[in-house]
């Protein structure tokens, strides 16, 4: 038996950032921490039953149930106000006759575990937290690192009972009978403290195939292919107007690489991207309303900073919404054999062909108001961080060039609002994380269900009632949002099911927010 102890909620300080979560459900590298923990455990203990204790009143999402089922892990519910020792007793009593047990604390991530039983995992640290200290030296401490293994479950339960549920005292009582071996663990991450959580995030980064990202000593070194894209991003940061610089990381260095590529260096921001909070967090609706207001604060300032002639940007706008979408759709159709001229349907609602939908959305997008400003170009949740302490958003990974490949930091702000909408109402990040079910009953006849919770409907409703720069609402940019989902289809050819889900989602948004208003 392996038990991941996650039967209490994270600290109040952590709840400010992520909402009320058990530690094993914290977001880490675009996944839940328990996914990383179980992946590491399975490498060494392939046949052991894995259990995760959680507070009895914590609601597990449908997406997480599916992940846990796929990972072969079982949830055990325990009372929230128990001590750690009492919580372990409660969990053990819900499992049929376990003989031995390995325990991993819910806020702990190890890459490798001691194989033997009757062991306490220890690790060296120079940080100062409330860990159980095994040995102290001048330059470091040796502390318990959150992993334990016991041969006698009955003796362990009895030890915790004798210690009145105190974990450390109970382990020491067990140690008197079994003489626990202290084994040093080389790679240890304690995510129960805010500072250590963000250090771990910096070391576990997700990155796209065409970018190379290195994070060390508080800076991000970014390079990749094509070099022009990286140079455009660097130019965007360097040309950012003074009153917008506080909303982006500091640009430290730029230049050519040895291989004639390009690189830039920016400060590393110790916040979580909004996409991870939206998909994996439990932040209340008022938290998100505050985030949306800060996004608009950024957009309003962007609107004030314009120098390019409007007619030039209008020309680029047509290329962005029309030429780009139609070319991407042709590429998608050629690659997959999808018919762009056949009728479609979503969740039982009949719709026009894909090409007709695209042309209608293009017409509405080009007919919408033009709001000139400093354009991020990819203003979606994965590129926005919220600094709750400074009460400001931070933006990363800008586009930096237009459809023709010309470096610019200006454009139509409706595109940025549509990017934001594609995260909030479009639920792009839920699809990317695999939180959906898709069925194609006949060609281009889809049933799509995106696994979200009820609280998210409140957040979406709040967002739809927001007004952004120039009184633009999210509903005003629904045609632009549908075009975003259609134009990204050929970029997701690595996963055909996800690619079809993104197509089905474009149909969902079109049917719900555009088609109903004209039929």
């Amino acid at each position: 038996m392996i038990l991941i102890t996650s039967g209490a909620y994270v600290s109040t300080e952590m709840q400010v950032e992520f909402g009320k979560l058990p530690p094993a459900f914290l977001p880490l590298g675009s996944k839940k921490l328990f996914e990383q923990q179980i992946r590491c455990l399975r490498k060494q203990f392939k046949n052991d039953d894995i259990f995760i204790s959680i507070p009895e009143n914590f609601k597990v999402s449908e997406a997480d149930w599916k992940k846990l089922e796929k990972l072969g892990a079982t949830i055990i519910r325990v009372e929230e106000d128990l001590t750690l020792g009492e919580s372990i007793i409660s969990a053990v009593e819900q499992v049929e006759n376990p003989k031995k047990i390995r325990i991993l604390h819910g806020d702990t991530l190890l890459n490798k575990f001691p194989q033997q039983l009757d062991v306490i995992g220890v690790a060296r640290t120079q940080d100062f937290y409330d860990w159980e200290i095994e040995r102290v030296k001048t330059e470091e401490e040796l502390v318990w690192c959150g992993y334990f293994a016991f041969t006698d479950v009955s003796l362990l339960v009895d030890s915790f009972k004798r210690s009145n549920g105190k974990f450390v005292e109970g382990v020491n009582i067990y140690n008197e009978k079994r003489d626990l071996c202290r084994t040093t663990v080389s790679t240890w991450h304690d995510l129960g403290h805010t500072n250590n959580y963000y250090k771990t995030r910096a070391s576990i980064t997700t990155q796209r195939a065409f970018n190379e990202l290195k994070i060390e000593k508080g800076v991000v070194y970014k390079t990749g292919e094509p070099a022009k894209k990286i140079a455009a991003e660097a130019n965007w940061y360097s040309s950012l107007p003074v009153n917008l610089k506080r909303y982006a990381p500091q640009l430290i260095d730029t230049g050519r690489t040895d291989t004639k590529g390009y690189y830039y260096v920016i400060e590393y921001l110790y916040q979580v991207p909004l996409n991870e909070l939206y998909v994996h967090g439990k932040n209340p609706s008022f938290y998100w309303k505050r985030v949306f207001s800060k996004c608009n604060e950024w957009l309003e300032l962007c609107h004030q900073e314009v120098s390019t002639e409007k007619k030039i940007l209008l020309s680029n706008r047509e290329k962005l919404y029309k030429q780009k979408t139609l070319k991407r759709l042709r590429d998608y159709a050629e690659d997959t054999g999808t018919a762009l001229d056949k009728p479609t349907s979503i969740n039982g609602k009949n719709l026009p062909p894909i090409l007709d939908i695209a042309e209608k959305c293009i017409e509405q997008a080009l007919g919408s108001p033009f709001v000139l400003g400093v354009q991020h170009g990819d203003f979606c949740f994965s590129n926005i961080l919220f600094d709750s302490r400074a009460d400001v958003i931070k933006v990363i990974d800008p586009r930096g060039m237009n459809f023709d490949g010309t470096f610019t930091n200006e454009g139509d702000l409706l595109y940025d609002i549509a990017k934001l909408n594609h995260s909030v109402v479009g639920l792009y990040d839920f699809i990317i994380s695999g939180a959906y079910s898709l069925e194609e009953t006949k060609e281009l006849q889809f049933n799509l269900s995106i696994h979200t919770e009820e609280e998210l409907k409140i957040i979406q409703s709040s967002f739809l009632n927001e007004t952004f720069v120039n009184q633009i609402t999210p509903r005003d940019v629904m045609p632009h949002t549908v075009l975003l989902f259609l134009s990204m289809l050929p970029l997701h050819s690595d996963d055909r099911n996800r690619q079809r889900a993104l197509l089905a989602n474009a149909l969902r948004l079109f049917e719900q927010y555009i088609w109903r208003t004209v039929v």
Side-chain angles (χ1 to χ4, degrees):
M1 172 185 181
I2 298 175
L3 175 63
I4 300 174
T5 57
S6 192
Y9 291 106
V10 295
S11 66
T12 303
E13 182 184 18
M14 298 283 279
Q15 287 184 33
V16 170
E17 301 290 337
F18 307 104
K20 202 171 182 180
L21 289 173
F25 284 71
L26 285 167
L28 185 65
S30 296
K31 297 181 183 294
K32 291 286 199 303
L33 175 54
F34 69 71
E35 296 178 74
Q36 309 272 16
Q37 291 170 319
I38 295 172
R39 177 181 58 81
C40 293
L41 286 165
R42 284 293 183 215
K43 288 180 180 179
Q44 291 180 238
F45 312 115
K46 292 182 172 59
N47 299 318
D48 289 45
D49 294 328
I50 296 179
F51 301 85
I52 302 179
S53 60
I54 63 171
E56 61 182 353
N57 61 351
F58 178 70
K59 184 179 179 182
V60 180
S61 69
E62 183 178 355
D64 284 341
W65 276 121
K66 290 181 180 294
K67 289 174 184 176
L68 289 164
E69 183 179 6
K70 186 176 181 180
L71 291 166
T74 303
I75 286 290
I76 296 177
R77 295 188 178 275
V78 297
E79 294 179 29
E80 179 187 344
D81 57 355
L82 298 178
T83 66
L84 179 54
E86 290 170 338
S87 180
I88 292 171
I89 293 172
S90 176
V92 167
E93 288 176 345
Q94 296 180 57
V95 178
E96 186 177 353
N97 197 28
K99 301 296 184 183
K100 61 184 181 180
I101 186 170
R102 299 180 188 272
I103 294 175
L104 177 67
H105 287 343
D107 57 9
T108 300
L109 181 63
L110 304 180
N111 291 344
K112 192 173 182 181
F113 304 87
Q115 285 285 146
Q116 69 268 39
L117 290 167
D118 280 336
V119 66
I120 297 176
V122 295
R124 295 179 176 87
T125 182
Q126 294 178 332
D127 293 324
F128 180 71
Y129 290 105
D130 187 24
W131 294 311
E132 180 62 21
I133 299 171
E134 188 65 30
R135 188 174 68 243
V136 179
K137 289 185 178 182
T138 304
E139 67 278 6
E140 65 182 15
E141 293 178 341
L142 195 66
V143 302
W144 293 10
C145 70
Y147 174 78
F148 310 83
F150 306 94
T151 55
D152 192 334
V153 174
S154 297
L155 177 60
L156 181 67
V157 168
D158 181 65
S159 299
F160 284 142
K161 288 179 178 178
R162 289 174 59 192
S163 70
N164 295 318
K166 297 176 182 177
F167 180 80
V168 173
E169 186 177 328
V171 171
N172 284 328
I173 292 172
Y174 182 98
N175 182 61
E176 293 172 1
K177 298 285 183 70
R178 292 291 185 180
D179 192 20
L180 295 166
C181 174
R182 273 62 168 174
T183 301
T184 303
V185 172
S186 57
T187 305
W188 164 49
H189 301 290
D190 177 10
L191 294 98
H193 304 90
T194 305
N195 289 348
N196 284 337
Y197 174 85
Y198 287 109
K199 286 180 185 177
T200 301
R201 285 190 60 85
S203 65
I204 303 176
T205 58
T206 55
Q207 51 191 277
R208 294 177 181 176
F210 51 77
N211 285 333
E212 293 178 15
L213 207 63
K214 183 169 67 176
I215 302 171
E216 61 181 12
K217 297 180 180 179
V219 300
V220 179
Y221 176 92
K222 186 173 182 180
T223 185
E225 298 293 338
K228 187 173 183 179
K229 176 186 180 299
I230 304 301
E233 292 181 21
N235 181 72
W236 187 92
Y237 284 117
S238 64
S239 59
L240 203 59
V242 172
N243 71 332
L244 293 178
K245 286 187 178 295
R246 71 183 291 256
Y247 295 87
Q250 178 185 359
L251 180 66
I252 297 170
D253 189 22
T254 65
R256 291 280 180 183
T257 66
D258 295 338
T259 57
K260 297 183 180 180
Y262 206 86
Y263 76 89
Y264 66 84
V265 182
I266 56 174
E267 66 172 319
Y268 178 71
L269 300 176
Y270 288 89
Q271 288 92 35
V272 180
L274 292 181
N275 63 312
E276 293 190 33
L277 296 180
Y278 199 52
V279 176
H280 301 298
K282 288 281 188 179
N283 307 76
S285 57
F286 62 78
Y287 171 95
W288 287 104
K289 188 169 182 63
R290 185 175 164 203
V291 169
F292 301 148
S293 72
K294 295 303 169 183
C295 289
N296 188 47
E297 180 182 288
W298 158 262
L299 292 166
E300 291 282 2
L301 288 172
C302 288
H303 184 44
Q304 297 171 16
E305 298 284 347
V306 182
S307 60
T308 309
E309 289 186 32
K310 187 173 181 179
K311 63 180 181 181
I312 297 175
L313 293 177
L314 279 170
S315 173
N316 290 329
R317 187 190 197 210
E318 180 171 356
K319 294 173 183 176
L320 181 65
Y321 295 136
K322 184 175 182 178
Q323 294 182 26
K324 175 184 173 182
T325 303
L326 295 179
K327 180 183 183 304
R328 291 275 184 84
L329 279 177
R330 287 194 295 269
D331 291 344
Y332 170 69
E334 183 178 346
D335 180 46
T336 63
T338 301
L340 301 179
D341 57 352
K342 287 188 176 181
T344 62
S345 80
I346 183 69
N347 296 334
K349 306 293 177 60
N350 293 325
L351 294 174
I354 296 170
L355 193 58
D356 291 359
I357 290 172
E359 288 175 344
K360 182 166 190 61
C361 289
I362 290 168
E363 178 186 359
Q364 292 189 10
L366 293 177
S368 62
F370 187 79
V371 183
L372 207 56
V374 171
Q375 186 188 65
H376 179 277
D378 201 7
F379 192 61
C380 57
F381 271 0
S382 59
N383 293 331
I384 306 172
L385 303 90
F386 179 51
D387 186 339
S388 59
R389 291 167 178 81
D391 200 31
V392 66
I393 64 164
K394 301 281 187 176
V395 296
I396 58 173
D397 288 349
R399 185 79 67 195
M401 60 182 172
N402 62 21
F403 184 73
D404 291 331
T406 303
F407 287 9
T408 181
N409 66 353
E410 296 178 348
D412 184 10
L413 292 183
L414 266 67
Y415 187 82
D416 277 358
I417 299 173
K419 274 285 184 177
L420 191 62
N421 189 44
H422 116 298
S423 291
V424 183
V425 180
L427 299 173
Y428 170 80
D429 300 299
F430 281 83
I431 294 175
I432 294 302
S433 71
Y436 66 89
S437 299
L438 177 70
E439 180 187 18
E440 189 170 3
T441 54
K442 295 181 181 178
E443 185 182 6
L444 299 176
Q445 313 290 303
F446 298 103
N447 290 318
L448 174 68
S449 173
I450 302 177
H451 307 319
T452 61
E453 298 184 55
E454 285 301 312
E455 178 73 14
L456 192 124
K457 293 180 181 178
I458 300 172
I459 295 167
Q460 289 180 319
S461 177
S462 173
F463 177 75
L464 287 168
N465 289 324
E466 293 282 341
T467 54
F468 293 90
V469 58
N470 269 30
Q471 300 301 301
I472 299 298
T473 72
R475 295 180 189 276
D476 295 329
V477 296
M478 284 299 175
H480 312 63
T481 307
V482 172
L483 294 177
L484 286 174
F485 278 98
L486 292 176
S487 65
M488 70 175 62
L489 292 175
L491 307 181
H492 290 267
S493 58
D494 61 308
D495 187 325
R496 293 301 187 188
N497 195 61
R498 183 180 67 223
Q499 190 179 44
R500 298 299 266 182
L502 292 169
L503 171 59
N505 197 43
L507 301 180
R508 175 185 72 86
L509 294 170
F510 179 78
E511 189 279 326
Q512 188 170 351
Y513 295 101
I514 300 173
W515 188 243
R516 290 183 190 181
T517 65
V518 297
V519 176

